[in-house]
Amino acid sequence: GGPTEFIIDGETGLVAEPNAASIGAALARLATDRPLAARLAAAGKTRGEQITWQEVVDAILDASATAPIAVAPEAEVGRRSPRRLVVLTTFPINEPAHGGQLRARHLYGSLARWRPVEVVALVGFGNQPARQNLSPGLTQVVVPRSYEHDAAGTQLSNDARTPVTDLVAGSHIAETPAYLRALADACDGASAVLVAEPYLLPALEHLGIDLPLIYDAYNVEADLKAAAYPDTEMGRDLLAQVRALEARAVGSASLVTTCSGADADVLAAQATTDETRFAVV
């Protein structure tokens, strides 16, 4: 759960499966490999010292958290390759902890060996905006949601009685103008754009960005949300929004990548589109 967001397995601690055998094996490893235990302890202490209430308060109260991303000097912009691919995500990819982050970090990171990749990540309110070089050819621009954007997601999730912050990421993207500015800057002169899941497609539509689109479908979102959203009037309305958004992503994409052939079949049937535009990764 939550603690795995702060632990990099084998670097700042050990992550075990939630069963006695796995936990016991991890404890035995620490007991028998003292140099490893000492190294993890030192790295974990350094990481832990960065997590304080003062840091949280400073991040929430710091006005710069919602300030616009600084645009690189003209000389630096001139060096950005016109071959670059811009990727939109609703999470950071630099310290992957869950499946979506792992797919993004490794798939797009591997792609960066052939073509520059610039990830524009919409992250939670209270984080600091940043531009990070994650590896050769792979850049991440981090933009936190504004207070208003975050509050809208919290309120709608409470009303729906289920998390809908992913859907709100795009439906209320105008509440975080810093993200729109960062995205417009990244797409200026780029060769193509990739949407990781469909939820930030409205950001591209809002800006009127006309670039070849790749839709990386992590799931069949309509099926996933049908099982998660409540069978209420509000739940059905939210599900209809997801269905429409997913159909637009499939229909407007030059290429749709999926995690399985079964997902590709379902998405192609729902959008009544040519299956030759699908690839399984």
Side-chain angles (χ1 to χ4, degrees):
T4 60
E5 297 178 9
F6 307 111
I7 298 171
I8 301 175
D9 190 35
E11 295 184 23
T12 57
L14 297 179
V15 178
E17 295 296 324
N19 60 66
S22 180
I23 295 170
L27 291 171
R29 183 181 175 191
L30 293 175
T32 56
D33 190 342
R34 301 308 293 273
L36 171 66
R39 188 170 69 252
L40 294 178
K45 180 175 184 293
T46 299
R47 178 71 179 95
E49 288 172 344
Q50 300 170 6
I51 305 168
T52 66
W53 279 116
Q54 190 59 52
E55 290 286 337
V56 172
V57 172
D58 289 346
I60 292 175
L61 297 182
D62 185 359
S64 68
T66 55
I69 298 295
V71 177
E74 288 186 11
E76 183 178 336
V77 172
R79 290 196 298 268
R80 290 162 74 189
S81 170
R83 299 180 65 249
R84 71 184 181 279
L85 173 71
V86 177
V87 176
L88 286 68
T89 66
T90 57
F91 45 75
I93 70 169
N94 52 310
E95 293 184 359
H98 59 68
Q101 289 175 317
L102 287 164
R103 178 176 174 87
R105 180 64 181 85
H106 295 296
L107 181 58
Y108 313 145
S110 296
L111 180 60
R113 290 183 292 172
W114 287 274
R115 180 179 291 267
V117 175
E118 186 166 332
V119 177
V120 186
L122 181 69
V123 302
F125 169 72
N127 288 280
Q128 293 296 312
R131 178 179 291 274
Q132 305 160 320
N133 293 319
L134 304 184
S135 64
L138 180 63
T139 303
Q140 176 175 259
V141 177
V142 175
V143 183
R145 300 186 194 214
S146 68
Y147 172 80
E148 293 78 12
H149 199 169
D150 181 74
T154 299
Q155 183 62 56
L156 193 57
S157 295
N158 290 339
D159 293 343
R161 300 181 181 235
T162 190
V164 295
T165 52
D166 47 6
L167 181 59
V168 171
S171 65
H172 290 63
I173 192 60
E175 299 286 358
T176 302
Y179 186 85
L180 294 171
R181 289 192 293 267
L183 179 59
D185 175 60
C187 289
D188 185 20
S191 64
V193 62
L194 182 150
V195 179
E197 301 180 308
Y199 297 109
L200 283 173
L201 179 65
L204 295 173
E205 296 172 338
H206 181 93
L207 292 170
I209 290 174
D210 185 20
L211 289 173
L213 174 68
I214 301 168
Y215 170 40
D216 191 13
Y218 288 22
N219 302 279
V220 177
E221 293 296 322
D223 289 351
L224 195 69
K225 298 305 185 184
Y229 287 172
D231 187 15
T232 62
E233 183 178 353
M234 186 174 191
R236 291 188 290 273
D237 176 66
L238 292 169
L239 181 58
Q241 292 182 47
V242 171
R243 290 189 190 280
L245 182 61
E246 187 170 52
R248 292 206 312 274
V250 173
S252 57
S254 301
L255 173 68
V256 180
T257 51
T258 66
C259 296
S260 71
D263 283 358
D265 292 341
V266 171
L267 290 173
Q270 288 180 349
T272 60
T273 190
D274 185 357
E275 290 192 20
T276 61
R277 294 194 295 111
F278 286 76
V280 177
V281 183

